[in-house]
Amino acid sequence: PDYIVCDEIGSDKETTALLNRLNSGTKFICTVHADGINALKNKPNINVLLNYQVFDKIVFLDNYGNDFFIKDVYDL
């Protein structure tokens, strides 16, 4: 596949699976709960993925009532 979509990643098993696919040419779209870049880096398994440069971008969402909007975008 061109893309694999994963919801709420973070376990050891998920981290290993993502790293195993790293050189396959497949891109990932993943969700993680974090309120900012520092909180994201404090999640040990997510920090491993960041160090291996699994992701090209990080997008933080926020909401106002039922409306969601992009709060921050980081190019990695």
Side-chain angles (χ1 to χ4, degrees), residues 38-73:
N38 290 330
L40 192 64
K41 289 179 178 179
N42 284 330
K43 294 175 179 272
N45 286 324
I46 302 304
N47 201 34
V48 168
L49 297 173
L50 292 172
N51 288 334
Y52 275 96
Q53 300 177 340
V54 172
F55 307 112
D56 295 329
K57 289 188 184 291
I58 298 174
V59 179
F60 288 98
L61 303 178
D62 207 341
N63 69 307
Y64 183 77
N66 291 329
D67 296 325
F68 287 85
F69 59 92
I70 295 174
K71 179 179 173 183
D72 289 309
V73 177

Side-chain angles (χ1 to χ4, degrees), residues 24-45:
S24 69
T26 302
K27 296 195 180 232
F28 298 98
I29 300 172
C30 304
T31 64
V32 178
H33 288 272
D35 62 2
I37 194 73
N38 290 330
L40 192 64
K41 289 179 178 179
N42 284 330
K43 294 175 179 272
N45 286 324

